[in-house]
Amino acid sequence: MKLKTFLITASLWMGLLGLTACGGADVRTYQYPETAVLFDGLHIKKTVYSPGVMELYYRGGQFKDNPIRCYDANFEDLGDQFEHTFRNGVLTVQADFAEQISGLTIEDKDHDTVYHLRYLDSPQFAWLADTFWLDYGMMTMGDEARYYSDAERQAQAERERAEHAQTRNVFALLEGTWISEDGLQKYVFSTDADGSELRAAELWRSGTEKMWNGWELRVESAFQTPYFGGEYGEDVAEHLQEIVLRNSDHAAADLHLLYDTQNAVILSGGMTYRREQG
């Protein structure tokens, strides 16, 4: 009788041990040698994957209801149909695709920062952070060489070359001084001697001081698109290109203009500007 009881008990224990081992095989844990993010304010400790659940363990960071986005190993967006919670230093994501999550972003609006975490499903782990600086506007911090793959860096370089070419084409179209019909306002588009820096100035003439006042921006990039607004009739709109000059100071305004390709004039604020003949 005792032998029978022992065999039954042993069988139960073996069954429980078998279940535990099986369950453990479905759990993957990744810890990272370098975890400090953005001046040591946030540490990513480890990520644990189990069926339908991903748990990201961290230290620091004041997260509660922060929006997140999840991405797979190719950094493709996994959508927004999932539940997540921040609690006691653990971000828990519950979703059918939880085990596919390789990267994610955490938006921290209170501190004007977006964290980009990548390679969570490997010991590699890399991060970037877009954060706002009063003197410089939005800046990206982190190790981009580690964060992006060689193919991504090459594609990014190609995009930057195309963007630079587009910027130069737009600026070649605008370069010079454009005077309003009443002579009291003007735009000045110029380049440095070596052509490395593009500048745009919007100026207006003070009637009492007989001086030009205004503001200037350093152009980070420029592009033009067909005009789709409703301010002008179709006969005029079909010849208009909307031009945007991006301010390198991300905290300041960009410059938006309309260029009339038929009449070679700039339209802005109800005024018409013609290129000054030099």
Side-chain angles (χ1 to χ4, degrees), residues 45 81 83 100 107 147 211 221-222 260:
K45 298 164 67 176
Q81 300 302 309
E83 295 182 4
Q100 302 175 38
E107 186 175 350
Y147 186 88
M211 295 177 58
S221 62
D260 184 337

Side-chain angles (χ1 to χ4, degrees), residues 24-198:
D26 291 336
V27 176
R28 293 177 291 125
T29 301
Y30 298 94
Q31 293 180 301
Y32 318 109
E34 298 178 25
T35 66
V37 175
L38 196 62
F39 305 117
D40 213 30
L42 174 65
H43 284 255
I44 305 301
K45 298 164 67 176
K46 66 179 180 179
T47 306
V48 179
Y49 296 87
S50 56
V53 178
M54 186 210 77
E55 295 174 307
L56 178 73
Y57 289 75
Y58 61 91
R59 175 166 55 83
Q62 300 173 11
F63 304 133
K64 185 178 179 182
D65 300 319
N66 300 65
I68 71 170
R69 300 292 298 183
C70 299
Y71 303 87
D72 65 14
N74 296 318
F75 221 61
E76 297 291 336
D77 194 334
L78 290 171
D80 55 8
Q81 300 302 309
F82 61 89
E83 295 182 4
H84 77 281
T85 58
F86 290 95
R87 187 173 299 152
N88 299 326
V90 182
L91 163 62
T92 301
V93 178
Q94 294 181 304
D96 293 339
F97 55 73
E99 294 171 89
Q100 302 175 38
I101 298 173
S102 179
L104 57 85
T105 60
I106 303 173
E107 186 175 350
D108 186 357
K109 294 181 180 179
D110 292 338
H111 299 91
D112 296 314
T113 300
V114 178
Y115 297 97
H116 304 262
L117 311 180
R118 197 170 185 185
Y119 310 120
L120 297 174
D121 56 350
S122 79
Q124 182 176 343
F125 179 63
W127 66 272
L128 296 176
D130 298 326
T131 189
F132 181 80
W133 296 77
L134 288 176
D135 294 335
Y136 302 102
M138 290 299 295
M139 290 186 63
T140 299
M141 313 292 292
D143 189 346
E144 294 191 14
R146 184 174 178 178
Y147 186 88
Y148 294 111
S149 68
D150 291 341
E152 288 170 333
R153 285 195 294 273
Q154 182 178 350
Q156 185 176 11
E158 291 173 356
R159 286 193 299 270
E160 289 174 355
R161 283 193 292 270
E163 183 179 88
H164 181 71
Q166 179 179 240
T167 298
R168 296 298 307 185
N169 289 339
V170 171
F171 222 78
L173 178 68
L174 296 176
E175 196 161 12
T177 300
W178 300 72
I179 304 291
S180 63
E181 292 179 315
D182 61 8
L184 299 178
Q185 299 183 60
K186 66 180 178 180
Y187 289 106
V188 180
F189 304 98
S190 58
T191 62
D192 284 358
D194 60 0
S196 62
E197 191 167 279
L198 312 178

